[in-house]
Amino acid sequence: MPLQLSGTSGVLDNSGAFIAGTAVASTSGTSIDFTSIPSWVKRVTIALNGVSLSGVAYIRLQLGTSGTPETTGYTAGTILVNSSLGSASVFSTSGIDLYGVVATYALSGNIVFTNISGNIWTFTGITCNTTTASYVQYTGGLKSLAGALNMVRITTSTGTDTFDAGSINILYE
Amino acid sequence: MNRIQIDVITGHREVIELTDEEIAQAQAQYAQWSATQPTKEEKIAQLQAQIDALNN
């Protein structure tokens, strides 16, 4: 569908175009929400740049509708590979979990959400510990939303750890 | 405790303080998460098993 503009609502449809947000510092807070994602969006990329937590929780990504993140119903798996220590994996139904490993480590990479049809979204991502370049993580899975996607939340598995370094951006198309 | 909210259309960034209910939920989530974490002894046993595997 071509570009559609509205004098009151802004961009109504922009399929095929690529819109980048402004990177937000992930240096405080227990979660970071990107809201008001347009209904015509078919692909969302979350870019992590040296994101770190105060503790050892998983960094958790969740999709949401009507401004509220969905906290159940994910089929998400992540495997961490370390050249010397081997591998570890985590599977979650509460969101997409990425290993933080230790509080001093920072994570960089991209997670891409793709709309298959209706409100069904798949996701894939590769991230790396950019503090010591000691491990890489691969993640993927599926989430069926109750309605149209309009937000992404980046939070933690504990709910109490806080972001303390890096930046996060959203790109959508 | 707070969360950061960014409107992708307007770019407006807002820091929102968590409500008492949200804080209670976070603390309950932490307690649940903490209960699933291995103890120090379990971690040592896991590491010892990895060392044993390397030696075999």
Side-chain angles (χ1 to χ4, degrees), chain A residues 90-147:
Chain A
V90 57
F91 295 88
S92 175
T93 59
S94 302
I96 303 144
D97 283 350
L98 306 174
Y99 285 94
V101 182
V102 297
T104 55
Y105 282 5
L107 199 63
S108 298
N110 298 326
I111 309 296
V112 179
F113 299 91
T114 304
N115 180 246
I116 292 291
S117 65
N119 297 315
I120 302 172
W121 291 79
T122 59
F123 42 86
T124 184
I126 302 176
T127 53
C128 175
N129 167 21
T130 43
T131 306
T132 62
S134 58
Y135 66 79
V136 65
Q137 299 185 58
Y138 304 90
T139 190
L142 176 75
K143 169 63 179 159
S144 182
L145 289 168

CSV table of all heavy atoms in Angstrom, one decimal, chain A residues 90-147:
chain,number,residue,atom,x,y,z
A,90,VAL,N,17.9,-20.6,27.5
A,90,VAL,CA,16.7,-20.2,28.3
A,90,VAL,C,15.5,-20.2,27.4
A,90,VAL,O,15.6,-19.7,26.3
A,90,VAL,CB,17.0,-18.9,29.0
A,90,VAL,CG1,17.3,-17.8,28.0
A,90,VAL,CG2,15.8,-18.5,29.8
A,91,PHE,N,14.4,-20.8,27.9
A,91,PHE,CA,13.2,-20.7,27.1
A,91,PHE,C,12.1,-20.1,28.0
A,91,PHE,O,12.1,-20.3,29.2
A,91,PHE,CB,12.7,-22.2,26.8
A,91,PHE,CG,13.6,-22.8,25.8
A,91,PHE,CD1,14.7,-23.6,26.3
A,91,PHE,CD2,13.4,-22.7,24.5
A,91,PHE,CE1,15.6,-24.2,25.4
A,91,PHE,CE2,14.3,-23.3,23.6
A,91,PHE,CZ,15.4,-24.0,24.0
A,92,SER,N,11.4,-19.2,27.5
A,92,SER,CA,10.5,-18.4,28.3
A,92,SER,C,9.1,-18.2,27.6
A,92,SER,O,9.0,-18.1,26.4
A,92,SER,CB,11.1,-17.0,28.5
A,92,SER,OG,10.1,-16.2,29.2
A,93,THR,N,8.1,-18.2,28.4
A,93,THR,CA,6.7,-17.9,27.9
A,93,THR,C,6.3,-16.4,28.3
A,93,THR,O,5.3,-16.0,28.0
A,93,THR,CB,5.7,-18.8,28.5
A,93,THR,OG1,5.7,-18.8,29.9
A,93,THR,CG2,6.0,-20.3,28.1
A,94,SER,N,7.2,-15.8,29.1
A,94,SER,CA,6.9,-14.4,29.6
A,94,SER,C,7.4,-13.3,28.7
A,94,SER,O,7.1,-12.1,29.0
A,94,SER,CB,7.4,-14.3,31.0
A,94,SER,OG,6.9,-15.3,31.9
A,95,GLY,N,8.2,-13.7,27.7
A,95,GLY,CA,8.9,-12.7,26.9
A,95,GLY,C,10.1,-13.3,26.2
A,95,GLY,O,10.4,-14.5,26.4
A,96,ILE,N,10.8,-12.5,25.5
A,96,ILE,CA,12.1,-12.9,24.9
A,96,ILE,C,13.2,-12.6,25.9
A,96,ILE,O,13.5,-11.4,26.1
A,96,ILE,CB,12.3,-12.2,23.6
A,96,ILE,CG1,11.1,-12.5,22.7
A,96,ILE,CG2,13.6,-12.6,22.9
A,96,ILE,CD1,10.8,-11.3,21.8
A,97,ASP,N,13.8,-13.6,26.4
A,97,ASP,CA,14.8,-13.4,27.5
A,97,ASP,C,16.2,-13.5,26.9
A,97,ASP,O,16.6,-14.4,26.1
A,97,ASP,CB,14.7,-14.4,28.6
A,97,ASP,CG,13.6,-14.1,29.5
A,97,ASP,OD1,13.0,-13.0,29.4
A,97,ASP,OD2,13.2,-15.0,30.4
A,98,LEU,N,17.1,-12.5,27.2
A,98,LEU,CA,18.5,-12.5,26.8
A,98,LEU,C,19.3,-12.5,28.0
A,98,LEU,O,19.1,-11.7,29.0
A,98,LEU,CB,18.7,-11.2,25.9
A,98,LEU,CG,17.8,-11.0,24.7
A,98,LEU,CD1,18.1,-9.6,24.1
A,98,LEU,CD2,18.0,-12.1,23.7
A,99,TYR,N,20.4,-13.3,28.0
A,99,TYR,CA,21.3,-13.3,29.1
A,99,TYR,C,22.0,-12.0,29.4
A,99,TYR,O,22.5,-11.4,28.5
A,99,TYR,CB,22.3,-14.4,28.9
A,99,TYR,CG,21.9,-15.8,29.1
A,99,TYR,CD1,21.4,-16.5,27.9
A,99,TYR,CD2,21.8,-16.4,30.3
A,99,TYR,CE1,21.0,-17.9,28.1
A,99,TYR,CE2,21.4,-17.7,30.4
A,99,TYR,CZ,21.0,-18.5,29.3
A,99,TYR,OH,20.6,-19.7,29.4
A,100,GLY,N,21.9,-11.5,30.6
A,100,GLY,CA,22.7,-10.4,31.0
A,100,GLY,C,24.1,-10.9,31.6
A,100,GLY,O,25.0,-10.2,31.6
A,101,VAL,N,24.1,-12.1,32.0
A,101,VAL,CA,25.2,-12.9,32.6
A,101,VAL,C,25.7,-12.2,33.9
A,101,VAL,O,25.5,-12.8,35.0
A,101,VAL,CB,26.4,-13.0,31.6
A,101,VAL,CG1,27.5,-13.8,32.2
A,101,VAL,CG2,25.9,-13.7,30.3
A,102,VAL,N,26.4,-11.1,33.8
A,102,VAL,CA,26.8,-10.4,35.1
A,102,VAL,C,26.6,-9.0,34.9
A,102,VAL,O,26.4,-8.5,33.8
A,102,VAL,CB,28.3,-10.7,35.4
A,102,VAL,CG1,28.6,-12.1,35.7
A,102,VAL,CG2,29.2,-10.1,34.3
A,103,ALA,N,26.5,-8.2,36.0
A,103,ALA,CA,26.1,-6.8,36.0
A,103,ALA,C,27.1,-6.0,35.2
A,103,ALA,O,26.7,-4.9,34.7
A,103,ALA,CB,26.0,-6.3,37.4
A,104,THR,N,28.3,-6.4,35.1
A,104,THR,CA,29.3,-5.5,34.4
A,104,THR,C,29.3,-5.7,32.9
A,104,THR,O,30.0,-5.0,32.2
A,104,THR,CB,30.7,-5.8,34.9
A,104,THR,OG1,31.0,-7.2,34.8
A,104,THR,CG2,30.8,-5.3,36.4
A,105,TYR,N,28.5,-6.7,32.4
A,105,TYR,CA,28.5,-7.0,31.0
A,105,TYR,C,27.5,-6.2,30.3
A,105,TYR,O,26.4,-5.9,30.8
A,105,TYR,CB,28.3,-8.5,30.7
A,105,TYR,CG,29.5,-9.4,30.9
A,105,TYR,CD1,30.7,-8.9,31.4
A,105,TYR,CD2,29.4,-10.7,30.6
A,105,TYR,CE1,31.7,-9.7,31.7
A,105,TYR,CE2,30.5,-11.6,30.8
A,105,TYR,CZ,31.7,-11.1,31.4
A,105,TYR,OH,32.7,-11.9,31.6
A,106,ALA,N,27.7,-5.9,29.0
A,106,ALA,CA,26.8,-5.1,28.2
A,106,ALA,C,26.5,-5.9,26.9
A,106,ALA,O,27.3,-6.6,26.4
A,106,ALA,CB,27.4,-3.7,27.9
A,107,LEU,N,25.2,-5.7,26.5
A,107,LEU,CA,24.8,-6.5,25.3
A,107,LEU,C,24.5,-5.6,24.1
A,107,LEU,O,23.9,-4.5,24.3
A,107,LEU,CB,23.5,-7.2,25.8
A,107,LEU,CG,23.0,-8.4,24.9
A,107,LEU,CD1,24.0,-9.5,25.0
A,107,LEU,CD2,21.7,-8.9,25.4
A,108,SER,N,24.9,-6.0,23.0
A,108,SER,CA,24.7,-5.2,21.7
A,108,SER,C,24.2,-6.2,20.7
A,108,SER,O,24.6,-7.4,20.6
A,108,SER,CB,25.9,-4.5,21.3
A,108,SER,OG,26.4,-3.6,22.2
A,109,GLY,N,23.3,-5.7,19.8
A,109,GLY,CA,22.8,-6.5,18.7
A,109,GLY,C,21.4,-6.1,18.4
A,109,GLY,O,20.9,-5.1,18.9
A,110,ASN,N,20.7,-6.9,17.5
A,110,ASN,CA,19.4,-6.5,17.1
A,110,ASN,C,18.4,-7.7,17.3
A,110,ASN,O,18.8,-8.9,17.1
A,110,ASN,CB,19.4,-6.2,15.6
A,110,ASN,CG,20.3,-5.0,15.2
A,110,ASN,OD1,20.3,-4.1,16.0
A,110,ASN,ND2,20.9,-5.0,14.1
A,111,ILE,N,17.2,-7.3,17.6
A,111,ILE,CA,16.1,-8.3,17.7
A,111,ILE,C,15.0,-7.8,16.6
A,111,ILE,O,14.6,-6.7,16.7
A,111,ILE,CB,15.4,-8.4,19.1
A,111,ILE,CG1,16.5,-8.6,20.1
A,111,ILE,CG2,14.4,-9.5,19.1
A,111,ILE,CD1,17.2,-9.9,20.1
A,112,VAL,N,14.7,-8.7,15.7
A,112,VAL,CA,13.7,-8.3,14.7
A,112,VAL,C,12.4,-9.0,14.8
A,112,VAL,O,12.4,-10.3,14.9
A,112,VAL,CB,14.3,-8.6,13.3
A,112,VAL,CG1,13.4,-8.2,12.2
A,112,VAL,CG2,15.7,-7.8,13.1
A,113,PHE,N,11.3,-8.3,14.9
A,113,PHE,CA,10.0,-8.9,14.9
A,113,PHE,C,9.3,-8.8,13.5
A,113,PHE,O,9.3,-7.7,13.0
A,113,PHE,CB,9.1,-8.1,16.0
A,113,PHE,CG,9.7,-8.2,17.3
A,113,PHE,CD1,10.5,-7.2,17.8
A,113,PHE,CD2,9.3,-9.2,18.2
A,113,PHE,CE1,11.0,-7.2,19.1
A,113,PHE,CE2,9.8,-9.2,19.5
A,113,PHE,CZ,10.7,-8.2,19.9
A,114,THR,N,8.8,-9.9,13.1
A,114,THR,CA,8.2,-9.9,11.8
A,114,THR,C,6.7,-10.3,11.9
A,114,THR,O,6.4,-11.4,12.5
A,114,THR,CB,8.9,-10.8,10.8
A,114,THR,OG1,10.3,-10.3,10.8
A,114,THR,CG2,8.4,-10.7,9.4
A,115,ASN,N,5.8,-9.6,11.2
A,115,ASN,CA,4.4,-10.0,11.2
A,115,ASN,C,4.2,-11.0,10.2
A,115,ASN,O,4.4,-10.8,9.0
A,115,ASN,CB,3.5,-8.7,11.0
A,115,ASN,CG,2.1,-9.1,11.0
A,115,ASN,OD1,1.4,-9.0,9.9
A,115,ASN,ND2,1.6,-9.5,12.1
A,116,ILE,N,3.7,-12.2,10.6
A,116,ILE,CA,3.4,-13.3,9.7
A,116,ILE,C,2.1,-13.1,9.0
A,116,ILE,O,1.9,-13.1,7.8
A,116,ILE,CB,3.4,-14.7,10.4
A,116,ILE,CG1,4.8,-15.0,10.9
A,116,ILE,CG2,2.9,-15.8,9.5
A,116,ILE,CD1,5.8,-15.3,9.8
A,117,SER,N,1.1,-12.9,9.9
A,117,SER,CA,-0.3,-12.6,9.4
A,117,SER,C,-1.1,-12.2,10.6
A,117,SER,O,-0.8,-12.6,11.8
A,117,SER,CB,-0.9,-13.8,8.7
A,117,SER,OG,-1.1,-14.8,9.6
A,118,GLY,N,-2.2,-11.5,10.4
A,118,GLY,CA,-3.0,-11.1,11.5
A,118,GLY,C,-2.2,-10.4,12.6
A,118,GLY,O,-1.5,-9.5,12.4
A,119,ASN,N,-2.3,-11.0,13.8
A,119,ASN,CA,-1.5,-10.5,15.0
A,119,ASN,C,-0.4,-11.4,15.4
A,119,ASN,O,0.0,-11.4,16.6
A,119,ASN,CB,-2.5,-10.2,16.1
A,119,ASN,CG,-3.5,-9.1,15.8
A,119,ASN,OD1,-3.1,-8.1,15.2
A,119,ASN,ND2,-4.8,-9.4,16.1
A,120,ILE,N,0.0,-12.3,14.5
A,120,ILE,CA,1.0,-13.3,14.8
A,120,ILE,C,2.4,-12.7,14.4
A,120,ILE,O,2.6,-12.3,13.3
A,120,ILE,CB,0.8,-14.6,14.1
A,120,ILE,CG1,-0.6,-15.2,14.5
A,120,ILE,CG2,1.9,-15.6,14.4
A,120,ILE,CD1,-1.0,-16.4,13.8
A,121,TRP,N,3.3,-12.7,15.4
A,121,TRP,CA,4.6,-12.2,15.2
A,121,TRP,C,5.7,-13.2,15.5
A,121,TRP,O,5.6,-13.9,16.5
A,121,TRP,CB,4.9,-10.9,16.1
A,121,TRP,CG,4.0,-9.8,15.7
A,121,TRP,CD1,2.7,-9.6,16.0
A,121,TRP,CD2,4.4,-8.6,14.9
A,121,TRP,NE1,2.2,-8.4,15.4
A,121,TRP,CE2,3.3,-7.8,14.8
A,121,TRP,CE3,5.6,-8.2,14.3
A,121,TRP,CZ2,3.3,-6.6,14.1
A,121,TRP,CZ3,5.6,-7.0,13.6
A,121,TRP,CH2,4.5,-6.2,13.5
A,122,THR,N,6.7,-13.3,14.6
A,122,THR,CA,7.9,-14.1,14.8
A,122,THR,C,9.0,-13.2,15.1
A,122,THR,O,9.0,-12.0,14.8
A,122,THR,CB,8.2,-15.0,13.7
A,122,THR,OG1,8.5,-14.2,12.5
A,122,THR,CG2,7.1,-16.0,13.4
A,123,PHE,N,10.1,-13.7,15.8
A,123,PHE,CA,11.2,-12.9,16.1
A,123,PHE,C,12.5,-13.7,16.0
A,123,PHE,O,12.5,-14.9,16.2
A,123,PHE,CB,11.1,-12.2,17.4
A,123,PHE,CG,10.6,-13.1,18.5
A,123,PHE,CD1,11.4,-13.9,19.2
A,123,PHE,CD2,9.2,-13.1,18.8
A,123,PHE,CE1,10.9,-14.7,20.2
A,123,PHE,CE2,8.7,-13.9,19.8
A,123,PHE,CZ,9.6,-14.7,20.5
A,124,THR,N,13.5,-12.9,15.7
A,124,THR,CA,14.9,-13.5,15.6
A,124,THR,C,15.9,-12.5,16.0
A,124,THR,O,15.6,-11.3,15.9
A,124,THR,CB,15.2,-14.1,14.2
A,124,THR,OG1,16.4,-14.7,14.2
A,124,THR,CG2,15.2,-12.9,13.2
A,125,GLY,N,17.0,-12.9,16.5
A,125,GLY,CA,18.0,-11.9,16.9
A,125,GLY,C,19.4,-12.5,17.2
A,125,GLY,O,19.5,-13.7,17.6
A,126,ILE,N,20.4,-11.7,17.0
A,126,ILE,CA,21.7,-12.1,17.4
A,126,ILE,C,22.3,-10.9,18.3
A,126,ILE,O,22.2,-9.8,17.8
A,126,ILE,CB,22.6,-12.4,16.2
A,126,ILE,CG1,22.0,-13.5,15.3
A,126,ILE,CG2,24.0,-12.7,16.6
A,126,ILE,CD1,22.8,-13.8,14.1
A,127,THR,N,22.8,-11.3,19.4
A,127,THR,CA,23.4,-10.3,20.3
A,127,THR,C,24.7,-10.8,20.8
A,127,THR,O,25.0,-12.0,20.8
A,127,THR,CB,22.5,-9.9,21.5
A,127,THR,OG1,22.2,-11.1,22.1
A,127,THR,CG2,21.2,-9.2,21.0
A,128,CYS,N,25.6,-9.8,21.2
A,128,CYS,CA,26.9,-10.2,21.7
A,128,CYS,C,27.2,-9.4,22.9
A,128,CYS,O,26.8,-8.3,23.1
A,128,CYS,CB,27.9,-9.8,20.5
A,128,CYS,SG,29.6,-10.1,20.9
A,129,ASN,N,28.0,-10.0,23.8
A,129,ASN,CA,28.5,-9.3,24.9
A,129,ASN,C,29.7,-8.4,24.4
A,129,ASN,O,30.7,-8.9,24.1
A,129,ASN,CB,29.1,-10.2,26.0
A,129,ASN,CG,29.9,-9.5,27.0
A,129,ASN,OD1,29.8,-8.3,27.2
A,129,ASN,ND2,30.7,-10.3,27.7
A,130,THR,N,29.4,-7.1,24.4
A,130,THR,CA,30.4,-6.2,23.8
A,130,THR,C,31.4,-5.6,24.9
A,130,THR,O,32.2,-4.8,24.6
A,130,THR,CB,29.8,-5.1,23.0
A,130,THR,OG1,28.6,-4.6,23.7
A,130,THR,CG2,29.3,-5.6,21.7
A,131,THR,N,31.3,-6.1,26.1
A,131,THR,CA,32.2,-5.7,27.1
A,131,THR,C,33.5,-6.4,27.0
A,131,THR,O,34.6,-5.9,27.0
A,131,THR,CB,31.6,-5.9,28.5
A,131,THR,OG1,30.3,-5.3,28.6
A,131,THR,CG2,32.5,-5.4,29.6
A,132,THR,N,33.4,-7.7,26.8
A,132,THR,CA,34.6,-8.6,26.6
A,132,THR,C,34.6,-9.4,25.4
A,132,THR,O,35.5,-10.2,25.2
A,132,THR,CB,34.7,-9.5,27.9
A,132,THR,OG1,33.5,-10.4,27.9
A,132,THR,CG2,34.7,-8.8,29.2
A,133,ALA,N,33.5,-9.3,24.6
A,133,ALA,CA,33.4,-10.1,23.4
A,133,ALA,C,33.5,-11.6,23.7
A,133,ALA,O,34.1,-12.4,22.9
A,133,ALA,CB,34.4,-9.7,22.3
A,134,SER,N,33.0,-12.0,24.8
A,134,SER,CA,33.2,-13.4,25.3
A,134,SER,C,32.1,-14.3,24.9
A,134,SER,O,32.2,-15.5,25.1
A,134,SER,CB,33.4,-13.4,26.8
A,134,SER,OG,32.3,-12.8,27.4
A,135,TYR,N,30.9,-13.8,24.5
A,135,TYR,CA,29.8,-14.7,24.1
A,135,TYR,C,28.9,-14.1,23.1
A,135,TYR,O,28.9,-12.9,23.0
A,135,TYR,CB,29.1,-15.2,25.3
A,135,TYR,CG,28.3,-14.1,26.1
A,135,TYR,CD1,27.1,-13.7,25.6
A,135,TYR,CD2,28.8,-13.5,27.2
A,135,TYR,CE1,26.3,-12.7,26.2
A,135,TYR,CE2,28.1,-12.5,27.9
A,135,TYR,CZ,26.8,-12.1,27.4
A,135,TYR,OH,26.1,-11.1,28.0
A,136,VAL,N,28.2,-14.9,22.4
A,136,VAL,CA,27.2,-14.5,21.5
A,136,VAL,C,25.9,-15.2,21.8
A,136,VAL,O,25.9,-16.3,22.3
A,136,VAL,CB,27.6,-14.7,20.0
A,136,VAL,CG1,27.8,-16.2,19.7
A,136,VAL,CG2,26.7,-14.0,19.1
A,137,GLN,N,24.7,-14.6,21.5
A,137,GLN,CA,23.4,-15.2,21.8
A,137,GLN,C,22.6,-15.2,20.5
A,137,GLN,O,22.6,-14.2,19.8
A,137,GLN,CB,22.7,-14.4,22.9
A,137,GLN,CG,23.4,-14.3,24.2
A,137,GLN,CD,22.5,-13.6,25.3
A,137,GLN,OE1,21.4,-14.0,25.6
A,137,GLN,NE2,23.0,-12.6,25.8
A,138,TYR,N,21.9,-16.3,20.4
A,138,TYR,CA,20.9,-16.4,19.2
A,138,TYR,C,19.5,-16.6,19.9
A,138,TYR,O,19.4,-17.4,20.8
A,138,TYR,CB,21.3,-17.6,18.4
A,138,TYR,CG,22.7,-17.6,17.8
A,138,TYR,CD1,23.7,-18.2,18.5
A,138,TYR,CD2,23.0,-17.0,16.6
A,138,TYR,CE1,25.0,-18.1,18.0
A,138,TYR,CE2,24.3,-16.9,16.1
A,138,TYR,CZ,25.3,-17.5,16.8
A,138,TYR,OH,26.6,-17.4,16.4
A,139,THR,N,18.6,-15.9,19.3
A,139,THR,CA,17.2,-16.0,19.9
A,139,THR,C,16.2,-16.1,18.8
A,139,THR,O,16.4,-15.6,17.7
A,139,THR,CB,16.9,-14.8,20.8
A,139,THR,OG1,15.7,-15.1,21.5
A,139,THR,CG2,16.8,-13.5,20.0
A,140,GLY,N,15.1,-16.7,19.1
A,140,GLY,CA,14.0,-16.8,18.1
A,140,GLY,C,12.7,-17.3,18.7
A,140,GLY,O,12.7,-17.8,19.9
A,141,GLY,N,11.6,-17.1,18.0
A,141,GLY,CA,10.4,-17.6,18.6
A,141,GLY,C,9.2,-17.0,17.9
A,141,GLY,O,9.2,-16.4,16.8
A,142,LEU,N,8.1,-17.1,18.7
A,142,LEU,CA,6.7,-16.7,18.2
A,142,LEU,C,5.9,-16.1,19.3
A,142,LEU,O,6.0,-16.5,20.4
A,142,LEU,CB,6.1,-18.0,17.6
A,142,LEU,CG,4.6,-18.0,17.1
A,142,LEU,CD1,4.6,-17.3,15.8
A,142,LEU,CD2,4.1,-19.4,17.1
A,143,LYS,N,5.0,-15.2,18.9
A,143,LYS,CA,4.1,-14.6,19.8
A,143,LYS,C,2.8,-14.2,19.0
A,143,LYS,O,2.9,-13.5,18.0
A,143,LYS,CB,4.6,-13.4,20.5
A,143,LYS,CG,3.6,-12.6,21.3
A,143,LYS,CD,3.0,-13.3,22.4
A,143,LYS,CE,2.1,-12.5,23.2
A,143,LYS,NZ,1.1,-13.3,24.0
A,144,SER,N,1.7,-14.7,19.5
A,144,SER,CA,0.4,-14.3,18.9
A,144,SER,C,-0.3,-13.3,19.9
A,144,SER,O,-0.6,-13.6,21.0
A,144,SER,CB,-0.5,-15.6,18.8
A,144,SER,OG,-1.7,-15.2,18.2
A,145,LEU,N,-0.4,-12.1,19.4
A,145,LEU,CA,-1.0,-11.1,20.2
A,145,LEU,C,-2.5,-11.1,20.2
A,145,LEU,O,-3.1,-11.6,19.2
A,145,LEU,CB,-0.5,-9.7,19.7
A,145,LEU,CG,1.0,-9.4,20.0
A,145,LEU,CD1,1.4,-8.1,19.2
A,145,LEU,CD2,1.2,-9.2,21.4
A,146,ALA,N,-3.1,-10.5,21.2
A,146,ALA,CA,-4.6,-10.4,21.3
A,146,ALA,C,-5.2,-9.4,20.4
A,146,ALA,O,-6.3,-9.4,20.1
A,146,ALA,CB,-5.0,-10.2,22.8
A,147,GLY,N,-4.3,-8.4,20.0
A,147,GLY,CA,-4.8,-7.4,19.1
A,147,GLY,C,-3.6,-6.9,18.3
A,147,GLY,O,-2.5,-7.5,18.2
